[in-house]
Amino acid sequence: MSTSPERYTDRFERYADRHPRVVDAVLVLVLMACAIVGSGLTRPGAAPPQRDTTVLLVMGTSCLALFRHRSHPRTVTVVNVVCIVVVTALEYVLTPLLLAPVMAAMYWLTTHTGLRTARLYSVTAAAALMATSAIFDPTYASSPVPRSIGYCFWLLLPLAAGSMTRLRRAYVASVQARAEHAERTRDEEARLRVTEERMRIARELHDVVAHHLALANAQAGTAAHFALTNPQQTKKILTSLTDTTSSALRELKATLGLLRYNSAPASAPLDPSPGLARLPELVSTCASAGLTVTVTTTGEPRPLTSGVDLIAFRIVQEALTNATKHAAADSAHVHLAYQEPRLLITVTNDEPSGTAEVAAAAPGQGFGIMGMRERAHTVGGDFHAGPRPGGGFEVATSLPLSPTAPEASSEAAADSTGEKA
Protein backbone atom coordinates (compact mmCIF):
# COMPACT_ATOMS: atom_id res chain seq x y z
CA MET A 1 0.00 0.00 0.00
CA SER A 2 1.34 3.42 -0.96
CA THR A 3 2.03 5.89 1.88
CA SER A 4 3.46 8.71 -0.22
CA PRO A 5 2.74 12.32 0.85
CA GLU A 6 0.85 12.91 -2.43
CA ARG A 7 -1.68 10.29 -1.47
CA TYR A 8 -2.45 11.92 1.87
CA THR A 9 -2.49 15.34 0.23
CA ASP A 10 -5.09 14.13 -2.25
CA ARG A 11 -7.21 12.71 0.53
CA PHE A 12 -6.98 15.96 2.52
CA GLU A 13 -7.91 18.08 -0.51
CA ARG A 14 -10.89 15.87 -1.33
CA TYR A 15 -12.06 16.08 2.27
CA ALA A 16 -11.52 19.86 2.28
CA ASP A 17 -13.63 20.20 -0.88
CA ARG A 18 -16.46 18.26 0.75
CA HIS A 19 -16.24 19.92 4.20
CA PRO A 20 -14.56 23.33 3.79
CA ARG A 21 -15.98 24.89 6.96
CA VAL A 22 -14.84 22.03 9.16
CA VAL A 23 -11.31 22.19 7.77
CA ASP A 24 -11.19 25.99 8.11
CA ALA A 25 -12.38 25.81 11.72
CA VAL A 26 -9.73 23.26 12.65
CA LEU A 27 -6.97 25.24 10.96
CA VAL A 28 -8.05 28.51 12.61
CA LEU A 29 -8.06 26.87 16.04
CA VAL A 30 -4.60 25.43 15.46
CA LEU A 31 -3.25 28.79 14.27
CA MET A 32 -4.84 30.58 17.22
CA ALA A 33 -3.16 28.13 19.59
CA CYS A 34 0.16 28.75 17.84
CA ALA A 35 -0.32 32.51 18.18
CA ILE A 36 -1.14 32.25 21.90
CA VAL A 37 1.89 30.08 22.55
CA GLY A 38 4.08 32.37 20.43
CA SER A 39 2.98 35.46 22.31
CA GLY A 40 4.45 33.96 25.48
CA LEU A 41 7.93 33.36 24.04
CA THR A 42 10.81 35.78 24.54
CA ARG A 43 14.56 36.04 24.01
CA PRO A 44 16.95 34.08 26.24
CA GLY A 45 17.62 35.90 29.47
CA ALA A 46 14.66 38.22 29.14
CA ALA A 47 11.47 38.17 31.16
CA PRO A 48 8.43 36.77 29.31
CA PRO A 49 5.94 39.39 28.15
CA GLN A 50 2.81 39.98 30.12
CA ARG A 51 -0.06 38.82 27.96
CA ASP A 52 -2.84 41.38 27.98
CA THR A 53 -6.22 41.59 26.38
CA THR A 54 -4.89 43.72 23.52
CA VAL A 55 -2.54 41.11 22.04
CA LEU A 56 -5.15 38.36 22.43
CA LEU A 57 -7.77 40.47 20.64
CA VAL A 58 -5.34 41.36 17.86
CA MET A 59 -4.26 37.77 17.27
CA GLY A 60 -7.84 36.53 17.62
CA THR A 61 -8.91 39.02 14.95
CA SER A 62 -6.12 37.86 12.59
CA CYS A 63 -7.10 34.21 13.07
CA LEU A 64 -10.85 34.79 12.70
CA ALA A 65 -10.23 36.75 9.49
CA LEU A 66 -8.81 33.55 7.98
CA PHE A 67 -12.36 32.18 7.66
CA ARG A 68 -12.79 34.51 4.67
CA HIS A 69 -9.63 33.43 2.85
CA ARG A 70 -11.57 31.70 0.06
CA SER A 71 -13.67 34.70 -0.94
CA HIS A 72 -11.41 37.65 0.06
CA PRO A 73 -7.78 36.45 0.13
CA ARG A 74 -6.29 39.95 -0.34
CA THR A 75 -8.36 41.48 2.46
CA VAL A 76 -7.50 38.62 4.81
CA THR A 77 -3.79 39.09 4.06
CA VAL A 78 -3.95 42.85 4.72
CA VAL A 79 -5.75 42.26 8.04
CA ASN A 80 -3.13 39.73 9.14
CA VAL A 81 -0.24 41.99 8.14
CA VAL A 82 -1.77 44.89 10.08
CA CYS A 83 -2.30 42.66 13.12
CA ILE A 84 1.28 41.37 13.11
CA VAL A 85 2.57 44.94 12.74
CA VAL A 86 0.51 45.94 15.80
CA VAL A 87 1.93 42.99 17.76
CA THR A 88 5.44 44.04 16.73
CA ALA A 89 4.73 47.57 17.91
CA LEU A 90 3.73 46.07 21.28
CA GLU A 91 7.33 44.74 21.46
CA TYR A 92 6.48 41.04 21.13
CA VAL A 93 9.12 38.78 19.61
CA LEU A 94 8.16 37.70 16.09
CA THR A 95 8.62 33.94 16.32
CA PRO A 96 7.35 31.51 13.64
CA LEU A 97 4.46 30.62 15.97
CA LEU A 98 3.38 34.25 16.16
CA LEU A 99 3.82 34.61 12.40
CA ALA A 100 1.77 31.46 11.68
CA PRO A 101 -1.55 33.29 10.89
CA VAL A 102 0.03 35.72 8.44
CA MET A 103 2.02 32.87 6.86
CA ALA A 104 -1.24 30.94 6.34
CA ALA A 105 -2.82 34.04 4.80
CA MET A 106 0.16 34.37 2.43
CA TYR A 107 -0.15 30.71 1.44
CA TRP A 108 -3.84 30.99 0.59
CA LEU A 109 -3.22 34.27 -1.23
CA THR A 110 -0.66 32.47 -3.42
CA THR A 111 -2.97 29.57 -4.18
CA HIS A 112 -5.97 31.79 -4.97
CA THR A 113 -4.42 34.75 -6.81
CA GLY A 114 -1.01 33.65 -8.07
CA LEU A 115 2.64 34.16 -7.25
CA ARG A 116 2.97 37.69 -8.59
CA THR A 117 0.30 39.16 -6.30
CA ALA A 118 1.50 37.15 -3.30
CA ARG A 119 5.09 38.30 -3.87
CA LEU A 120 4.01 41.95 -3.79
CA TYR A 121 2.09 41.46 -0.56
CA SER A 122 4.93 39.48 1.00
CA VAL A 123 7.56 42.11 0.22
CA THR A 124 5.26 44.84 1.56
CA ALA A 125 4.64 42.87 4.75
CA ALA A 126 8.38 42.23 5.27
CA ALA A 127 9.16 45.93 4.77
CA ALA A 128 6.42 46.90 7.24
CA LEU A 129 7.74 44.46 9.85
CA MET A 130 11.32 45.68 9.46
CA ALA A 131 10.24 49.32 9.75
CA THR A 132 8.10 48.61 12.81
CA SER A 133 10.90 46.63 14.48
CA ALA A 134 13.39 49.40 13.76
CA ILE A 135 11.08 51.90 15.47
CA PHE A 136 9.69 49.96 18.44
CA ASP A 137 12.24 47.18 19.11
CA PRO A 138 15.39 48.50 20.78
CA THR A 139 17.24 45.25 20.05
CA TYR A 140 16.69 45.42 16.30
CA ALA A 141 19.57 47.85 15.76
CA SER A 142 22.06 45.33 17.17
CA SER A 143 21.29 42.70 14.48
CA PRO A 144 19.24 44.24 11.68
CA VAL A 145 20.48 41.96 8.89
CA PRO A 146 19.74 38.58 10.55
CA ARG A 147 16.37 39.84 11.74
CA SER A 148 15.45 41.14 8.28
CA ILE A 149 16.55 37.89 6.65
CA GLY A 150 14.42 35.98 9.14
CA TYR A 151 11.33 38.08 8.35
CA CYS A 152 11.83 37.61 4.62
CA PHE A 153 12.40 33.86 4.98
CA TRP A 154 9.28 33.19 7.04
CA LEU A 155 7.13 35.35 4.76
CA LEU A 156 8.53 33.91 1.52
CA LEU A 157 8.21 30.30 2.70
CA PRO A 158 4.39 30.18 2.21
CA LEU A 159 4.89 31.62 -1.28
CA ALA A 160 7.02 28.62 -2.24
CA ALA A 161 4.50 26.19 -0.71
CA GLY A 162 1.58 27.94 -2.40
CA SER A 163 3.35 27.89 -5.77
CA MET A 164 4.00 24.17 -5.45
CA THR A 165 0.34 23.63 -4.62
CA ARG A 166 -0.77 25.63 -7.68
CA LEU A 167 1.59 23.70 -9.94
CA ARG A 168 0.40 20.41 -8.53
CA ARG A 169 -3.27 21.34 -8.99
CA ALA A 170 -2.57 22.50 -12.55
CA TYR A 171 -0.80 19.22 -13.27
CA VAL A 172 -3.67 17.16 -11.87
CA ALA A 173 -6.17 19.24 -13.86
CA SER A 174 -4.17 18.77 -17.06
CA VAL A 175 -3.96 15.02 -16.47
CA GLN A 176 -7.71 14.84 -15.91
CA ALA A 177 -8.34 16.96 -19.02
CA ARG A 178 -6.12 14.70 -21.11
CA ALA A 179 -7.85 11.62 -19.73
CA GLU A 180 -11.29 13.08 -20.53
CA HIS A 181 -10.12 14.08 -24.01
CA ALA A 182 -8.70 10.61 -24.61
CA GLU A 183 -11.96 9.04 -23.44
CA ARG A 184 -14.01 11.31 -25.72
CA THR A 185 -11.65 10.54 -28.60
CA ARG A 186 -11.99 6.81 -28.00
CA ASP A 187 -15.78 7.11 -27.89
CA GLU A 188 -15.86 9.15 -31.10
CA GLU A 189 -13.49 6.74 -32.82
CA ALA A 190 -15.58 3.79 -31.68
CA ARG A 191 -18.76 5.45 -32.99
CA LEU A 192 -17.02 6.22 -36.28
CA ARG A 193 -15.85 2.63 -36.64
CA VAL A 194 -19.32 1.34 -35.85
CA THR A 195 -20.81 3.67 -38.48
CA GLU A 196 -18.27 2.60 -41.08
CA GLU A 197 -18.89 -1.07 -40.30
CA ARG A 198 -22.66 -0.60 -40.56
CA MET A 199 -22.23 1.06 -43.97
CA ARG A 200 -19.92 -1.73 -45.14
CA ILE A 201 -22.34 -4.44 -44.03
CA ALA A 202 -25.26 -2.54 -45.61
CA ARG A 203 -23.40 -2.37 -48.94
CA GLU A 204 -22.53 -6.05 -48.80
CA LEU A 205 -26.08 -7.12 -47.95
CA HIS A 206 -27.49 -4.87 -50.67
CA ASP A 207 -25.16 -6.32 -53.29
CA VAL A 208 -25.91 -9.89 -52.29
CA VAL A 209 -29.67 -9.62 -51.76
CA ALA A 210 -30.49 -7.18 -54.59
CA HIS A 211 -28.46 -9.07 -57.18
CA HIS A 212 -29.89 -12.50 -56.51
CA LEU A 213 -33.45 -11.30 -55.95
CA ALA A 214 -33.37 -9.37 -59.22
CA LEU A 215 -32.11 -12.44 -61.07
CA ALA A 216 -34.64 -14.67 -59.33
CA ASN A 217 -37.44 -12.27 -60.26
CA ALA A 218 -36.31 -12.18 -63.90
CA GLN A 219 -36.00 -15.97 -64.03
CA ALA A 220 -39.41 -16.47 -62.46
CA GLY A 221 -40.99 -14.04 -64.93
CA THR A 222 -39.31 -15.79 -67.88
CA ALA A 223 -40.40 -19.20 -66.60
CA ALA A 224 -44.00 -17.99 -66.29
CA HIS A 225 -43.81 -16.71 -69.87
CA PHE A 226 -42.61 -20.09 -71.24
CA ALA A 227 -44.70 -22.26 -68.91
CA LEU A 228 -47.27 -23.23 -71.53
CA THR A 229 -45.36 -22.81 -74.79
CA ASN A 230 -41.97 -24.29 -73.90
CA PRO A 231 -42.04 -26.63 -70.87
CA GLN A 232 -38.43 -27.75 -71.49
CA GLN A 233 -37.15 -24.17 -71.37
CA THR A 234 -39.28 -23.55 -68.31
CA LYS A 235 -37.70 -26.50 -66.52
CA LYS A 236 -34.23 -25.25 -67.38
CA ILE A 237 -35.03 -21.76 -66.10
CA LEU A 238 -36.51 -23.12 -62.86
CA THR A 239 -33.36 -25.19 -62.33
CA SER A 240 -31.31 -22.02 -62.76
CA LEU A 241 -33.69 -20.28 -60.33
CA THR A 242 -32.91 -22.93 -57.73
CA ASP A 243 -29.20 -22.34 -58.24
CA THR A 244 -29.70 -18.58 -57.93
CA THR A 245 -31.62 -18.82 -54.66
CA SER A 246 -29.10 -21.33 -53.29
CA SER A 247 -26.26 -18.98 -54.18
CA ALA A 248 -28.10 -16.10 -52.53
CA LEU A 249 -28.54 -18.11 -49.34
CA ARG A 250 -24.85 -19.08 -49.34
CA GLU A 251 -23.65 -15.51 -49.80
CA LEU A 252 -26.11 -14.18 -47.25
CA LYS A 253 -25.00 -16.82 -44.77
CA ALA A 254 -21.38 -15.95 -45.48
CA THR A 255 -21.98 -12.22 -44.97
CA LEU A 256 -23.83 -12.76 -41.70
CA GLY A 257 -21.23 -15.33 -40.70
CA LEU A 258 -18.58 -12.59 -40.74
CA LEU A 259 -20.44 -10.90 -37.89
CA ARG A 260 -20.34 -14.10 -35.84
CA TYR A 261 -16.86 -15.18 -36.87
CA ASN A 262 -14.60 -16.01 -33.95
CA SER A 263 -10.83 -16.08 -34.36
CA ALA A 264 -10.56 -19.01 -31.97
CA PRO A 265 -9.03 -22.20 -33.44
CA ALA A 266 -12.34 -24.04 -33.08
CA SER A 267 -14.14 -21.56 -35.34
CA ALA A 268 -15.25 -22.71 -38.77
CA PRO A 269 -12.84 -21.66 -41.54
CA LEU A 270 -13.81 -18.90 -43.93
CA ASP A 271 -13.59 -19.25 -47.71
CA PRO A 272 -12.06 -16.52 -49.87
CA SER A 273 -14.28 -13.58 -50.74
CA PRO A 274 -15.64 -13.32 -54.31
CA GLY A 275 -13.51 -11.63 -56.96
CA LEU A 276 -13.17 -11.18 -60.72
CA ALA A 277 -12.34 -14.89 -60.99
CA ARG A 278 -16.07 -15.52 -60.50
CA LEU A 279 -17.10 -13.41 -63.50
CA PRO A 280 -17.87 -16.51 -65.63
CA GLU A 281 -20.27 -17.73 -62.95
CA LEU A 282 -21.88 -14.27 -62.82
CA VAL A 283 -22.21 -14.17 -66.61
CA SER A 284 -23.84 -17.61 -66.62
CA THR A 285 -26.33 -16.56 -63.93
CA CYS A 286 -27.28 -13.43 -65.88
CA ALA A 287 -27.74 -15.50 -69.02
CA SER A 288 -30.27 -17.68 -67.25
CA ALA A 289 -32.24 -14.49 -66.48
CA GLY A 290 -32.27 -13.50 -70.15
CA LEU A 291 -29.35 -11.04 -70.16
CA THR A 292 -26.46 -11.92 -72.46
CA VAL A 293 -23.18 -10.61 -71.09
CA THR A 294 -19.89 -10.42 -72.97
CA VAL A 295 -16.59 -9.83 -71.20
CA THR A 296 -13.46 -8.43 -72.84
CA THR A 297 -10.08 -7.79 -71.32
CA THR A 298 -7.27 -5.54 -72.56
CA GLY A 299 -3.82 -5.20 -71.11
CA GLU A 300 -1.92 -7.74 -69.09
CA PRO A 301 -4.06 -9.02 -66.21
CA ARG A 302 -2.42 -8.49 -62.86
CA PRO A 303 -3.25 -9.93 -59.45
CA LEU A 304 -5.35 -7.63 -57.32
CA THR A 305 -5.43 -7.24 -53.58
CA SER A 306 -8.36 -8.99 -51.95
CA GLY A 307 -10.11 -5.68 -51.16
CA VAL A 308 -9.81 -4.27 -54.70
CA ASP A 309 -10.75 -7.64 -56.22
CA LEU A 310 -13.91 -7.80 -54.11
CA ILE A 311 -14.87 -4.20 -54.93
CA ALA A 312 -14.33 -4.76 -58.67
CA PHE A 313 -16.56 -7.86 -58.59
CA ARG A 314 -19.29 -6.14 -56.57
CA ILE A 315 -19.38 -3.14 -58.92
CA VAL A 316 -19.72 -5.40 -61.98
CA GLN A 317 -22.33 -7.48 -60.16
CA GLU A 318 -24.40 -4.44 -59.19
CA ALA A 319 -24.13 -2.90 -62.67
CA LEU A 320 -25.39 -6.13 -64.27
CA THR A 321 -28.15 -6.35 -61.66
CA ASN A 322 -29.33 -2.85 -62.60
CA ALA A 323 -29.23 -3.80 -66.28
CA THR A 324 -31.34 -6.89 -65.53
CA LYS A 325 -33.91 -4.96 -63.50
CA HIS A 326 -34.17 -1.64 -65.31
CA ALA A 327 -32.77 -1.75 -68.84
CA ALA A 328 -34.80 -2.66 -71.90
CA ALA A 329 -31.77 -4.36 -73.45
CA ASP A 330 -31.20 -8.10 -73.52
CA SER A 331 -27.39 -7.76 -73.64
CA ALA A 332 -24.62 -6.02 -71.75
CA HIS A 333 -20.89 -5.68 -72.17
CA VAL A 334 -18.16 -5.74 -69.49
CA HIS A 335 -14.75 -4.36 -70.41
CA LEU A 336 -11.70 -4.75 -68.15
CA ALA A 337 -8.65 -2.65 -69.02
CA TYR A 338 -5.43 -3.13 -67.05
CA GLN A 339 -3.55 0.16 -67.37
CA GLU A 340 -0.70 0.66 -64.94
CA PRO A 341 -1.33 1.53 -62.19
CA ARG A 342 -5.14 1.23 -62.41
CA LEU A 343 -7.88 -1.13 -63.50
CA LEU A 344 -10.61 0.43 -65.65
CA ILE A 345 -13.99 -1.30 -65.58
CA THR A 346 -16.81 -0.36 -67.93
CA VAL A 347 -20.26 -1.99 -67.96
CA THR A 348 -22.62 -0.86 -70.74
CA ASN A 349 -25.87 -1.79 -72.43
CA ASP A 350 -26.71 -0.47 -75.89
CA GLU A 351 -30.46 -0.04 -75.65
CA PRO A 352 -32.14 3.10 -74.31
CA SER A 353 -32.50 3.14 -70.55
CA GLY A 354 -35.88 2.80 -68.97
CA THR A 355 -37.29 5.47 -66.67
CA ALA A 356 -36.68 3.22 -63.70
CA GLU A 357 -32.99 2.95 -64.55
CA VAL A 358 -32.54 6.67 -64.72
CA ALA A 359 -34.32 6.99 -61.41
CA ALA A 360 -32.09 4.36 -59.90
CA ALA A 361 -29.05 6.26 -61.07
CA ALA A 362 -30.28 9.52 -59.61
CA PRO A 363 -28.53 10.48 -56.39
CA GLY A 364 -30.52 9.81 -53.25
CA GLN A 365 -33.16 7.60 -54.97
CA GLY A 366 -31.35 4.27 -55.02
CA PHE A 367 -28.69 2.46 -53.07
CA GLY A 368 -27.05 0.63 -56.00
CA ILE A 369 -25.27 3.61 -57.59
CA MET A 370 -24.48 5.06 -54.17
CA GLY A 371 -23.02 1.77 -52.95
CA MET A 372 -20.84 1.37 -56.05
CA ARG A 373 -19.54 4.91 -55.66
CA GLU A 374 -18.75 4.37 -51.98
CA ARG A 375 -16.92 1.15 -52.72
CA ALA A 376 -14.78 2.80 -55.39
CA HIS A 377 -13.92 5.73 -53.15
CA THR A 378 -12.84 3.53 -50.23
CA VAL A 379 -9.80 2.39 -52.23
CA GLY A 380 -9.07 5.75 -53.83
CA GLY A 381 -10.87 5.01 -57.11
CA ASP A 382 -13.13 7.04 -59.38
CA PHE A 383 -16.71 6.24 -60.36
CA HIS A 384 -19.17 7.46 -62.97
CA ALA A 385 -22.62 6.24 -63.96
CA GLY A 386 -25.17 7.70 -66.32
CA PRO A 387 -26.90 7.50 -69.70
CA ARG A 388 -24.68 7.17 -72.77
CA PRO A 389 -24.82 9.85 -75.49
CA GLY A 390 -25.89 7.28 -78.12
CA GLY A 391 -28.42 5.57 -75.89
CA GLY A 392 -28.12 2.96 -73.19
CA PHE A 393 -26.46 3.22 -69.80
CA GLU A 394 -22.84 3.09 -68.70
CA VAL A 395 -21.12 2.36 -65.40
CA ALA A 396 -17.41 3.20 -65.40
CA THR A 397 -14.93 2.95 -62.54
CA SER A 398 -11.18 3.29 -62.17
CA LEU A 399 -9.63 1.31 -59.34
CA PRO A 400 -5.99 1.37 -58.23
CA LEU A 401 -4.24 -1.97 -58.47
CA SER A 402 -3.13 -1.28 -54.86
CA PRO A 403 -5.52 0.65 -52.57
CA THR A 404 -4.38 4.16 -51.64
CA ALA A 405 -7.12 5.44 -49.36
CA PRO A 406 -6.64 4.90 -45.62
CA GLU A 407 -10.22 3.65 -45.31
CA ALA A 408 -9.43 0.76 -47.63
CA SER A 409 -7.41 -1.13 -45.06
CA SER A 410 -10.33 -1.66 -42.67
CA GLU A 411 -12.84 -2.66 -45.39
CA ALA A 412 -10.39 -4.89 -47.20
CA ALA A 413 -9.37 -6.58 -43.98
CA ALA A 414 -12.99 -7.23 -43.08
CA ASP A 415 -14.16 -8.26 -46.54
CA SER A 416 -11.15 -10.39 -47.45
CA THR A 417 -11.69 -12.67 -44.49
CA GLY A 418 -14.10 -14.42 -46.84
CA GLU A 419 -17.35 -16.25 -46.75
CA LYS A 420 -18.36 -18.96 -44.37
CA ALA A 421 -18.47 -22.44 -45.87
Side-chain angles (χ1 to χ4, degrees):
M1 181 181 295
S2 174
T3 59
S4 61
E6 290 80 3
R7 180 183 178 187
Y8 294 108
T9 302
D10 292 338
R11 288 183 176 180
F12 178 77
E13 289 184 354
R14 288 196 295 268
Y15 184 83
D17 292 337
R18 294 194 300 268
H19 309 284
R21 294 185 180 277
V22 176
V23 174
D24 290 348
V26 173
L27 291 176
V28 168
L29 290 176
V30 172
L31 293 174
M32 188 172 293
C34 292
I36 293 174
V37 173
S39 64
L41 300 179
T42 186
R43 298 179 184 86
Q50 298 294 326
R51 294 194 185 94
D52 54 16
T53 307
T54 301
V55 69
L56 295 179
L57 289 176
V58 171
M59 296 310 299
T61 301
S62 66
C63 292
L64 292 176
L66 295 175
F67 278 111
R68 308 292 295 178
H69 73 87
R70 300 178 190 275
S71 57
H72 302 84
R74 294 178 177 84
T75 303
V76 170
T77 302
V78 171
V79 170
N80 274 267
V81 170
V82 171
C83 291
I84 201 64
V85 167
V86 172
V87 172
T88 304
L90 296 176
E91 300 183 1
Y92 282 85
V93 180
L94 295 183
T95 62
L97 291 176
L98 204 57
L99 289 172
V102 72
M103 291 171 64
M106 289 291 181
Y107 170 80
W108 284 318
L109 180 68
T110 306
T111 58
H112 292 319
T113 63
L115 183 60
R116 183 175 181 179
T117 302
R119 188 184 297 116
L120 176 62
Y121 278 75
S122 180
V123 171
T124 303
L129 290 179
M130 287 186 286
T132 306
S133 297
I135 296 173
F136 294 99
D137 189 356
T139 63
Y140 180 80
S142 61
S143 56
V145 175
R147 298 278 291 279
S148 299
I149 293 176
Y151 295 158
C152 293
F153 173 78
W154 291 115
L155 290 179
L156 292 177
L157 184 63
L159 269 67
S163 298
M164 293 179 62
T165 301
R166 282 178 60 87
L167 291 175
R168 181 176 174 278
R169 290 176 179 175
Y171 172 75
V172 172
S174 65
V175 171
Q176 292 176 348
R178 287 197 299 269
E180 293 174 357
H181 176 71
E183 184 175 357
R184 288 195 301 269
T185 303
R186 286 195 299 269
D187 293 341
E188 292 173 0
E189 183 177 358
R191 286 194 295 269
L192 179 61
R193 289 184 178 275
V194 169
T195 302
E196 292 177 348
E197 185 66 10
R198 289 174 57 188
M199 293 179 62
R200 187 191 68 82
I201 295 173
R203 287 196 300 267
E204 195 70 15
L205 288 175
H206 174 271
D207 291 346
V208 172
V209 175
H211 168 69
H212 289 93
L213 286 182
L215 291 179
N217 180 69
Q219 289 170 336
T222 306
H225 178 72
F226 287 111
L228 298 178
T229 60
N230 194 340
Q232 191 67 24
Q233 182 67 15
T234 301
K235 181 179 179 181
K236 181 179 178 181
I237 293 174
L238 291 178
T239 303
S240 299
L241 176 60
T242 303
D243 295 336
T244 300
T245 54
S246 299
S247 178
L249 290 175
R250 286 196 304 270
E251 289 203 30
L252 185 60
K253 181 180 179 182
T255 303
L256 297 179
L258 291 175
L259 304 179
R260 298 176 178 270
Y261 178 66
N262 189 349
S263 58
S267 300
L270 298 178
D271 292 339
S273 58
L276 293 179
R278 290 180 54 180
L279 272 184
E281 178 184 342
L282 180 61
V283 169
S284 175
T285 305
C286 293
S288 65
L291 179 67
T292 302
V293 181
T294 58
V295 180
T296 60
T297 303
T298 59
E300 183 180 356
R302 293 184 52 188
L304 304 176
T305 62
S306 58
V308 174
D309 198 17
L310 172 67
I311 290 174
F313 177 79
R314 290 304 189 197
I315 290 177
V316 174
Q317 182 187 55
E318 180 61 25
L320 294 178
T321 300
N322 287 343
T324 303
K325 291 191 298 183
H326 306 305
D330 57 0
S331 64
H333 181 68
V334 178
H335 179 66
L336 307 177
Y338 290 87
Q339 300 177 1
E340 184 70 28
R342 307 180 77 82
L343 169 63
L344 306 181
I345 302 176
T346 306
V347 183
T348 59
N349 60 71
D350 298 328
E351 295 297 327
S353 303
T355 304
E357 182 184 10
V358 177
Q365 298 186 19
F367 296 107
I369 299 295
M370 180 172 59
M372 287 188 285
R373 180 177 291 108
E374 289 175 351
R375 284 187 179 275
H377 290 171
T378 57
V379 292
D382 300 322
F383 180 84
H384 169 75
R388 302 174 63 192
F393 200 83
E394 178 181 83
V395 172
T397 182
S398 173
L399 303 177
L401 296 179
S402 297
T404 58
E407 295 86 351
S409 57
S410 60
E411 177 159 345
D415 287 336
S416 62
T417 51
E419 302 175 352
K420 203 165 216 178

